[in-house]
Amino acid sequence: MSYEAWIILIGSMAGITCGITGCFLILRKLSMLADAISHTVLLGIVLAFLISQSMNGIYMLIGAAVVGLLTAVFVQLLHSSGVQEDASIGVVFTFLFAIGVILITLYAGDVHLDVDHALMGEIAFVPWDTVQIGFLPELPKAFLMLSAVLLIVLVIIFLFYKELKITSFDPAMAAAIGIPVLFIHYLLMGMVSLTTVASFDSVGAILVVAMLIAPGASAYLLTDKMSVMLILSGVFGVAAAIIGYYAAMLFNVSISGSMAAVNGILFALVFFFSPTKGYLFKKFALKKVKYGSEQ
């Protein structure tokens, strides 16, 4: 496969994985928690490296998942203690992220864990970072990691679709009919953690937030059906990766940054032109009602 094809494929896979995971965060009004986890998993990656002395992807995933879940637990504990949810998120993520940055500076300055890479990512180098497993040919590590995480996310959604759907729309009713709301919440946080670290090499900790939120937010404005929202979010994620790549080539700018920017542009287009929830549609409908009342 060509260099260009690998970048588009890996970017598309990151877009799909982040997009479908982000749908549940949007429905739960936890978009900012995605920002928190996308930063705090840096601490998990650093700790995994310091303990294992290895950059093996499986250790990174485990470390990220653990710290991502801890982030959700700490936020929940502070919120339950009376601290506002947005304040809880701000305190927890800045503290854990700062510890991760300090540990990188102190103990991992000479390895592939520099802060700039962790924050911004660089998908242009991903196709060259390959590994060979068994009888398979050499494949990019990011592709293998994203493939594994995408499979895990799809399996979890398939197995717990009803529980994820009900707890997202009506947690009180879910608890009343016996669904373990807290378990599903932390299961989702684990999905977000895995998705974030799998996308690190492609888009970094900051830009992964755009892929987690923008495709799902765009899909939300186009449909009221959960299954359709998941499919549309994946489509938006792929579209942003493809358009973003060619826009980056055209303007000679960061590929991952361009993909994130296209996510924002696609959301803006849907926000204005959605046939049901778009700004222009609502404005036109309001004018129509106003005109009708004056008759």
Side-chain angles (χ1 to χ4, degrees):
M1 194 179 290
S2 69
Y3 170 79
E4 176 184 281
W6 274 123
I7 291 180
I8 292 174
L9 176 61
I10 292 169
S12 297
M13 291 178 68
I16 294 171
T17 310
C18 291
I20 60 178
T21 304
C23 286
F24 297 103
L25 293 175
I26 290 165
L27 293 173
R28 291 163 179 258
K29 298 179 174 62
L30 290 174
S31 299
M32 287 311 297
L33 193 55
D35 188 24
I37 291 177
S38 70
H39 283 72
T40 58
V41 294
L42 177 66
L43 174 60
I45 290 173
V46 179
L47 290 175
F49 169 75
L50 294 178
I51 293 170
S52 67
Q53 290 298 305
S54 170
M55 291 293 292
N56 190 303
I58 188 65
Y59 300 129
M60 304 293 106
L61 285 175
I62 294 171
V66 170
V67 174
L69 288 173
L70 282 177
T71 302
V73 170
F74 291 154
V75 168
Q76 188 70 28
L77 285 174
L78 288 176
H79 185 50
S80 302
S81 302
V83 181
Q84 288 184 338
E85 190 168 48
D86 56 346
S88 303
I89 292 171
V91 169
V92 171
F93 109 71
T94 50
F95 175 69
L96 295 180
F97 180 66
I99 293 176
V101 172
I102 290 169
L103 289 176
I104 285 180
T105 307
L106 290 176
Y107 303 111
D110 297 328
V111 296
H112 187 52
L113 278 175
D114 59 283
V115 177
D116 289 339
H117 177 79
L119 289 176
M120 301 304 295
E122 188 43 78
I123 197 171
F125 300 137
V126 167
W128 306 115
D129 187 13
T130 60
V131 65
Q132 187 168 8
I133 300 177
F135 62 89
L136 295 174
E138 283 195 356
L139 297 169
K141 287 181 183 177
F143 169 75
L144 293 172
M145 191 179 291
L146 279 167
S147 298
V149 172
L150 178 57
L151 181 61
I152 291 169
V153 167
L154 291 175
V155 168
I156 290 173
I157 292 174
F158 177 76
L159 293 176
F160 297 97
Y161 179 74
K162 182 183 75 173
E163 290 82 359
L164 284 165
K165 183 178 180 181
I166 296 174
T167 54
S168 295
F169 285 105
D170 196 338
M173 187 186 81
I177 62 177
I179 293 175
V181 177
L182 206 56
F183 168 75
I184 296 299
H185 173 73
Y186 288 131
L187 182 66
L188 176 60
M189 294 306 104
M191 286 168 55
V192 174
S193 302
L194 293 177
T195 299
T196 300
V197 74
S199 304
F200 249 51
D201 275 340
S202 304
V203 294
I206 292 177
L207 298 180
V208 75
V209 180
M211 287 189 163
L212 272 169
I213 302 306
S218 300
Y220 176 76
L221 294 175
L222 291 173
T223 182
D224 293 320
K225 205 170 180 183
M226 183 77 222
S227 56
V228 177
M229 183 180 175
L230 290 172
I231 293 169
L232 285 175
S233 66
V235 171
F236 278 117
V238 172
I242 296 172
I243 298 170
Y245 173 78
Y246 287 109
M249 293 299 100
L250 181 64
F251 297 108
N252 192 28
V253 294
S254 164
I255 298 173
S256 53
S258 180
M259 289 178 179
V262 170
N263 268 303
I265 293 169
L266 291 176
F267 172 77
L269 291 173
V270 173
F271 174 77
F272 281 105
F273 300 110
S274 170
T276 54
K277 301 177 185 176
Y279 175 78
L280 295 179
F281 172 82
K282 286 181 179 178
K283 201 166 185 182
F284 178 75
L286 186 64
K287 278 187 178 179
K288 200 173 179 182
V289 170
K290 229 176 185 182
Y291 179 76
S293 63
E294 288 174 357
Q295 292 295 318

